[in-house]
Amino acid sequence: MPEPVPLIRERPASAVSQEITLPISFRALAIEQAGEAVSMQRKSIMALHEDDVLIRIDYASINKMDPGLARVNVFNFPLPYVLGFDFSGEVVGLGAQCQEAFKVGDEVLGRSLTGSCFAEYVVAKRENIVHRGAVPAPEASTYGVAYLTAYESLVMTGGIEQHRGKWIYVAGAAGGVGHFAAQIAKLHGLKVVGSAGKAASLNLLKELELDHVIDYSKQDVVQEVMNLTGGKGADLVYDSTYTQSSYAQSAVVVARGGEYIRLGTEAQVARAGANDVQSVVEGRGARMVISDLGRYARDPLYQVQTAKLTDGLKQAVSWYESGHLKPAITATVPFDAAALQQAFGDFLKGTNNVGKVVVRCA
Ligand SMILES: NC(=O)c1ccc[n+]([C@@H]2O[C@H](COP(=O)([O-])OP(=O)(O)OC[C@H]3O[C@@H](n4cnc5c(N)ncnc54)[C@H](OP(=O)(O)O)[C@@H]3O)[C@@H](O)[C@H]2O)c1
């Protein structure tokens, strides 16, 4: 292991605090080639652009796209690549334009659009980072993707405010995205019915104190939602499951004049075999809303709205502090290649995807 040296010797004086001592290199859990197992590698501390913040990572969370991207490098990340798209940690270096917003030693949470969070250090853009306040480090690492996806869907793109006091059906309400969606709906005054299949998922839904829980593996989802809503259907339906079997049920329980929020691009949803959802929803006289966090990274029309996502992250901290939003962490993976590989495999099998699974990077 190389001796730590003051980073300032390696960087322009404007870019990094004079007080921090950092290693020249750090450990990262990388994919050498798509489809190969995770391996521990050393990376060099990166040079900072003016809007960059260097973070020493405490925790990063696993999102469904991580095991997917480990198998197929659809974003063409340069090899070898490090996954992990959200984190909590401590600010250890600042680009010249970041010094008003943050200082060295600040405890923050955030996201990286280019991955690299299953590592000891990451460089993230100032606009994608917020102070974590009273949120503990493990919980804080879960907001950058799963929570933000639910927030973007319901608060920014969907019209959750207009459904106050009405029913929402959250398909997959114990998943990473779903358990945030259910809580956001509750704190906007909606009555929440959520579904899950695994025993551990159903236990989490009990803990979340939803108004009604459906075990989709044993119960008839359509019948349950219809009974609950007096045959009218749910005014708001949120389906982040990417499964054809769920789409087939969720599309037919949306109420006339209601809203159906579907997550993901046309291509992603088509891969799940669900091209017909839109026509079913519209045939029921409801509005189809398509939500996709990824478009804020790739579409200039959405990129200019990034500040609204950052406000969403600040809102998460405030909701946590007021006791209204609690990420459910169901497992913590050590900073070890075999352990992360195992967690990826379990995610793809669907055995560990209850609430959030985090990686302890510190
Ligand atoms: N486009 C975007 O912006 C974006 C952003 C984030 C995530 N995503 C995608 O969104 C999806 C969800 O992500 P996630 O992190 O929440 O995944 P996750 O943690 O695996 O959650 C999926 C949930 O779906 C439930 N489920 C599976 N089949 C179901 C069915 N027929 N009916 C009801 N529930 C069902 C599962 O419950 P049981 O395990 O109990 O069966 C599980 O809790 C993933 O495909 C992810 O790639 C997209």
Side-chain angles (χ1 to χ4, degrees), residues 61 63 65 85-86 111 142-150 177 293:
S61 94
N63 291 288
M65 63 183 161
F85 292 84
D86 47 9
R111 61 197 185 107
T142 68
Y143 287 127
V145 177
Y147 157 82
L148 210 49
T149 298
V177 176
L293 194 61

Side-chain angles (χ1 to χ4, degrees), residues 62-65 145-146 149 152-153 169-179 195-202 216 221 239-247 249 263-265 268 291-295 298 347 350-356:
I62 301 180
N63 291 288
K64 197 105 183 226
M65 63 183 161
V145 177
T149 298
E152 193 275 337
S153 305
Y169 168 53
V170 181
V177 176
H179 90 294
S195 61
K198 288 198 297 280
S201 305
L202 291 160
Y216 74 81
V221 170
D239 193 330
S240 66
T241 64
Y242 279 84
T243 66
Q244 170 59 22
S245 56
S246 178
Y247 288 136
Q249 296 162 338
L263 189 56
T265 62
Q268 286 169 323
S291 158
D292 176 23
L293 194 61
R295 63 192 170 191
R298 59 175 184 267
F347 236 94
T351 51
N352 67 345
N353 56 339
V354 181
K356 291 295 298 175

Side-chain angles (χ1 to χ4, degrees), residues 17 52 123 125 140 221 237 259 271 274 278 293 300:
S17 162
D52 283 342
V123 171
K125 294 291 174 200
V221 170
V237 172
E259 202 175 353
R271 277 200 292 276
Q278 183 146 358
L293 194 61

